[in-house]
Short mmCIF file of all heavy atoms in Angstrom, two decimals:
data_model
loop_
_atom_site.label_atom_id
_atom_site.label_comp_id
_atom_site.label_asym_id
_atom_site.label_seq_id
_atom_site.Cartn_x
_atom_site.Cartn_y
_atom_site.Cartn_z
N LEU A 112 0.64 65.79 1.18
CA LEU A 112 2.06 65.67 0.85
C LEU A 112 2.85 64.99 1.96
O LEU A 112 3.78 64.25 1.70
CB LEU A 112 2.67 67.03 0.55
CG LEU A 112 2.31 67.63 -0.81
CD1 LEU A 112 2.95 68.99 -0.97
CD2 LEU A 112 2.74 66.71 -1.92
N ASP A 113 2.46 65.22 3.22
CA ASP A 113 3.18 64.59 4.32
C ASP A 113 2.87 63.10 4.43
O ASP A 113 3.58 62.36 5.09
CB ASP A 113 2.86 65.29 5.63
CG ASP A 113 1.37 65.33 5.92
OD1 ASP A 113 0.58 65.26 4.95
OD2 ASP A 113 0.99 65.42 7.09
N LYS A 114 1.84 62.63 3.74
CA LYS A 114 1.46 61.21 3.77
C LYS A 114 1.95 60.47 2.53
O LYS A 114 1.54 59.35 2.28
CB LYS A 114 -0.06 61.08 3.88
CG LYS A 114 -0.63 61.71 5.12
CD LYS A 114 -2.13 61.62 5.11
CE LYS A 114 -2.72 62.42 6.26
NZ LYS A 114 -4.16 62.54 6.15
N ASN A 115 2.81 61.10 1.73
CA ASN A 115 3.35 60.50 0.50
C ASN A 115 2.26 60.08 -0.47
O ASN A 115 2.33 59.03 -1.09
CB ASN A 115 4.23 59.30 0.83
CG ASN A 115 5.47 59.71 1.58
OD1 ASN A 115 5.97 60.80 1.39
ND2 ASN A 115 5.95 58.85 2.44
N ALA A 116 1.23 60.92 -0.59
CA ALA A 116 0.13 60.63 -1.51
C ALA A 116 0.57 60.93 -2.94
O ALA A 116 1.48 61.71 -3.18
CB ALA A 116 -1.09 61.48 -1.16
N LEU A 117 -0.08 60.29 -3.89
CA LEU A 117 0.18 60.57 -5.29
C LEU A 117 -0.50 61.89 -5.67
O LEU A 117 -1.62 62.16 -5.27
CB LEU A 117 -0.39 59.46 -6.17
CG LEU A 117 0.31 58.12 -6.10
CD1 LEU A 117 -0.44 57.11 -6.95
CD2 LEU A 117 1.74 58.23 -6.57
N LEU A 118 0.21 62.68 -6.44
CA LEU A 118 -0.36 63.91 -6.94
C LEU A 118 -0.88 63.66 -8.35
O LEU A 118 -0.19 63.07 -9.18
CB LEU A 118 0.70 65.01 -6.99
CG LEU A 118 1.31 65.44 -5.67
CD1 LEU A 118 2.39 66.49 -5.90
CD2 LEU A 118 0.25 65.97 -4.74
N VAL A 119 -2.08 64.09 -8.61
CA VAL A 119 -2.69 63.95 -9.94
C VAL A 119 -2.92 65.34 -10.49
O VAL A 119 -3.51 66.19 -9.82
CB VAL A 119 -4.02 63.17 -9.86
CG1 VAL A 119 -4.66 63.08 -11.23
CG2 VAL A 119 -3.79 61.78 -9.28
N GLY A 120 -2.41 65.57 -11.69
CA GLY A 120 -2.54 66.89 -12.30
C GLY A 120 -3.43 66.86 -13.52
O GLY A 120 -3.44 65.91 -14.28
N ARG A 121 -4.19 67.94 -13.67
CA ARG A 121 -4.99 68.14 -14.89
C ARG A 121 -4.21 69.12 -15.74
O ARG A 121 -3.91 70.24 -15.32
CB ARG A 121 -6.37 68.68 -14.54
CG ARG A 121 -7.33 68.72 -15.71
CD ARG A 121 -8.75 68.97 -15.25
NE ARG A 121 -8.90 70.13 -14.41
CZ ARG A 121 -9.27 71.34 -14.82
NH1 ARG A 121 -9.57 71.54 -16.09
NH2 ARG A 121 -9.37 72.35 -13.98
N ILE A 122 -3.85 68.67 -16.95
CA ILE A 122 -2.94 69.43 -17.80
C ILE A 122 -3.63 69.78 -19.11
O ILE A 122 -4.28 68.93 -19.72
CB ILE A 122 -1.66 68.60 -18.08
CG1 ILE A 122 -0.97 68.29 -16.76
CG2 ILE A 122 -0.73 69.33 -19.03
CD1 ILE A 122 0.14 67.29 -16.87
N GLN A 123 -3.46 71.03 -19.53
CA GLN A 123 -4.00 71.46 -20.82
C GLN A 123 -2.86 71.46 -21.84
O GLN A 123 -1.82 72.08 -21.63
CB GLN A 123 -4.61 72.84 -20.73
CG GLN A 123 -5.26 73.28 -22.03
CD GLN A 123 -5.99 74.60 -21.88
OE1 GLN A 123 -5.70 75.37 -20.98
NE2 GLN A 123 -6.92 74.85 -22.77
N LEU A 124 -3.07 70.73 -22.92
CA LEU A 124 -2.08 70.63 -23.99
C LEU A 124 -2.18 71.86 -24.89
O LEU A 124 -3.16 72.60 -24.86
CB LEU A 124 -2.33 69.36 -24.80
CG LEU A 124 -2.28 68.06 -24.00
CD1 LEU A 124 -2.65 66.88 -24.87
CD2 LEU A 124 -0.92 67.86 -23.38
N PRO A 125 -1.16 72.09 -25.73
CA PRO A 125 -1.18 73.25 -26.63
C PRO A 125 -2.39 73.29 -27.56
O PRO A 125 -2.84 74.36 -27.96
CB PRO A 125 0.11 73.12 -27.43
CG PRO A 125 1.03 72.32 -26.57
CD PRO A 125 0.13 71.39 -25.80
N ASP A 126 -2.94 72.12 -27.92
CA ASP A 126 -4.11 72.10 -28.81
C ASP A 126 -5.43 72.26 -28.07
O ASP A 126 -6.49 72.19 -28.67
CB ASP A 126 -4.12 70.82 -29.65
CG ASP A 126 -4.30 69.57 -28.81
OD1 ASP A 126 -4.40 69.67 -27.57
OD2 ASP A 126 -4.37 68.47 -29.41
N GLY A 127 -5.38 72.48 -26.74
CA GLY A 127 -6.58 72.70 -25.95
C GLY A 127 -7.12 71.46 -25.26
O GLY A 127 -8.02 71.55 -24.42
N THR A 128 -6.61 70.28 -25.59
CA THR A 128 -7.05 69.04 -24.97
C THR A 128 -6.59 69.00 -23.52
O THR A 128 -5.49 69.43 -23.20
CB THR A 128 -6.45 67.82 -25.71
OG1 THR A 128 -6.74 67.93 -27.09
CG2 THR A 128 -6.99 66.52 -25.18
N GLU A 129 -7.44 68.47 -22.64
CA GLU A 129 -7.06 68.32 -21.24
C GLU A 129 -6.86 66.84 -20.93
O GLU A 129 -7.65 66.00 -21.34
CB GLU A 129 -8.13 68.90 -20.32
CG GLU A 129 -8.21 70.41 -20.39
CD GLU A 129 -9.19 70.99 -19.39
OE1 GLU A 129 -9.71 70.25 -18.53
OE2 GLU A 129 -9.44 72.20 -19.48
N ILE A 130 -5.78 66.54 -20.20
CA ILE A 130 -5.47 65.18 -19.79
C ILE A 130 -5.18 65.18 -18.29
O ILE A 130 -4.92 66.22 -17.70
CB ILE A 130 -4.26 64.60 -20.55
CG1 ILE A 130 -3.01 65.46 -20.31
CG2 ILE A 130 -4.55 64.47 -22.03
CD1 ILE A 130 -1.73 64.85 -20.84
N LYS A 131 -5.25 63.99 -17.69
CA LYS A 131 -4.88 63.82 -16.28
C LYS A 131 -3.69 62.89 -16.22
O LYS A 131 -3.66 61.85 -16.89
CB LYS A 131 -6.04 63.24 -15.48
CG LYS A 131 -7.16 64.20 -15.27
CD LYS A 131 -8.22 63.61 -14.36
CE LYS A 131 -9.33 64.61 -14.15
NZ LYS A 131 -10.38 64.09 -13.28
N LEU A 132 -2.70 63.27 -15.42
CA LEU A 132 -1.49 62.47 -15.25
C LEU A 132 -1.09 62.42 -13.78
O LEU A 132 -1.37 63.35 -13.02
CB LEU A 132 -0.31 63.08 -16.02
CG LEU A 132 -0.33 63.02 -17.53
CD1 LEU A 132 0.90 63.72 -18.08
CD2 LEU A 132 -0.36 61.61 -18.02
N ILE A 133 -0.42 61.35 -13.41
CA ILE A 133 0.19 61.28 -12.09
C ILE A 133 1.50 62.05 -12.16
O ILE A 133 2.31 61.82 -13.05
CB ILE A 133 0.43 59.82 -11.67
CG1 ILE A 133 -0.91 59.11 -11.52
CG2 ILE A 133 1.23 59.75 -10.38
CD1 ILE A 133 -0.81 57.65 -11.16
N LEU A 134 1.69 62.96 -11.24
CA LEU A 134 2.87 63.81 -11.23
C LEU A 134 4.00 63.12 -10.48
O LEU A 134 3.76 62.28 -9.62
CB LEU A 134 2.53 65.16 -10.59
CG LEU A 134 1.42 65.93 -11.30
CD1 LEU A 134 1.08 67.19 -10.54
CD2 LEU A 134 1.82 66.27 -12.73
N PRO A 135 5.24 63.50 -10.77
CA PRO A 135 6.38 62.81 -10.15
C PRO A 135 6.51 63.16 -8.67
O PRO A 135 6.09 64.24 -8.24
CB PRO A 135 7.57 63.34 -10.94
CG PRO A 135 7.15 64.69 -11.36
CD PRO A 135 5.68 64.57 -11.65
N PRO A 136 7.12 62.27 -7.91
CA PRO A 136 7.29 62.53 -6.48
C PRO A 136 8.47 63.45 -6.16
O PRO A 136 8.64 63.85 -5.03
CB PRO A 136 7.54 61.13 -5.90
CG PRO A 136 8.16 60.37 -7.02
CD PRO A 136 7.53 60.92 -8.27
N GLN A 137 9.30 63.80 -7.16
CA GLN A 137 10.48 64.61 -6.91
C GLN A 137 10.10 66.01 -6.46
O GLN A 137 9.10 66.57 -6.89
CB GLN A 137 11.35 64.72 -8.18
CG GLN A 137 12.13 63.48 -8.49
CD GLN A 137 11.32 62.47 -9.27
OE1 GLN A 137 10.21 62.75 -9.69
NE2 GLN A 137 11.86 61.30 -9.45
N GLN A 138 10.93 66.56 -5.61
CA GLN A 138 10.76 67.93 -5.17
C GLN A 138 11.52 68.83 -6.14
O GLN A 138 12.54 68.41 -6.65
CB GLN A 138 11.32 68.11 -3.75
CG GLN A 138 10.60 67.32 -2.70
CD GLN A 138 9.25 67.92 -2.35
OE1 GLN A 138 8.96 69.05 -2.70
NE2 GLN A 138 8.43 67.16 -1.68
N PRO A 139 11.13 70.03 -6.40
CA PRO A 139 9.88 70.63 -6.00
C PRO A 139 8.72 70.13 -6.86
O PRO A 139 8.90 69.84 -8.03
CB PRO A 139 10.11 72.12 -6.23
CG PRO A 139 11.10 72.17 -7.34
CD PRO A 139 11.97 70.96 -7.18
N HIS A 140 7.59 70.01 -6.23
CA HIS A 140 6.40 69.56 -6.96
C HIS A 140 5.90 70.68 -7.86
O HIS A 140 5.96 71.85 -7.49
CB HIS A 140 5.29 69.19 -5.97
CG HIS A 140 5.63 68.04 -5.10
ND1 HIS A 140 5.70 66.76 -5.55
CD2 HIS A 140 5.92 67.97 -3.79
CE1 HIS A 140 6.02 65.94 -4.57
NE2 HIS A 140 6.17 66.66 -3.48
N PRO A 141 5.39 70.33 -9.03
CA PRO A 141 4.80 71.37 -9.88
C PRO A 141 3.53 71.93 -9.24
O PRO A 141 2.82 71.21 -8.53
CB PRO A 141 4.51 70.64 -11.19
CG PRO A 141 4.54 69.19 -10.88
CD PRO A 141 5.36 69.01 -9.65
N LYS A 142 3.29 73.17 -9.47
CA LYS A 142 2.11 73.83 -8.91
C LYS A 142 1.19 74.26 -10.05
O LYS A 142 1.61 74.37 -11.19
CB LYS A 142 2.55 75.04 -8.09
CG LYS A 142 3.38 74.66 -6.88
CD LYS A 142 3.96 75.88 -6.22
CE LYS A 142 4.81 75.55 -5.02
NZ LYS A 142 5.71 74.45 -5.18
N ALA A 143 -0.06 74.49 -9.71
CA ALA A 143 -1.03 74.94 -10.70
C ALA A 143 -0.52 76.22 -11.35
O ALA A 143 -0.04 77.12 -10.68
CB ALA A 143 -2.38 75.17 -10.05
N GLY A 144 -0.58 76.26 -12.68
CA GLY A 144 -0.09 77.39 -13.44
C GLY A 144 1.29 77.17 -14.04
O GLY A 144 1.70 77.91 -14.92
N ASP A 145 2.02 76.15 -13.56
CA ASP A 145 3.35 75.85 -14.12
C ASP A 145 3.23 75.24 -15.50
O ASP A 145 2.26 74.56 -15.82
CB ASP A 145 4.10 74.86 -13.23
CG ASP A 145 4.62 75.48 -11.94
OD1 ASP A 145 4.56 76.71 -11.81
OD2 ASP A 145 5.07 74.71 -11.07
N THR A 146 4.25 75.48 -16.30
CA THR A 146 4.38 74.80 -17.59
C THR A 146 5.19 73.54 -17.32
O THR A 146 6.29 73.61 -16.77
CB THR A 146 5.11 75.69 -18.60
OG1 THR A 146 4.33 76.89 -18.77
CG2 THR A 146 5.25 74.99 -19.93
#
Side-chain angles (χ1 to χ4, degrees):
L112 284 179
D113 56 335
K114 300 176 188 170
N115 294 329
L117 291 176
L118 297 178
V119 178
R121 189 168 53 97
I122 300 169
Q123 184 174 22
L124 302 175
D126 65 359
T128 307
E129 291 185 8
I130 60 171
K131 288 186 179 180
L132 290 178
I133 295 178
L134 301 175
Q137 285 85 7
Q138 296 285 346
H140 296 288
K142 295 172 181 44
D145 286 350
T146 300

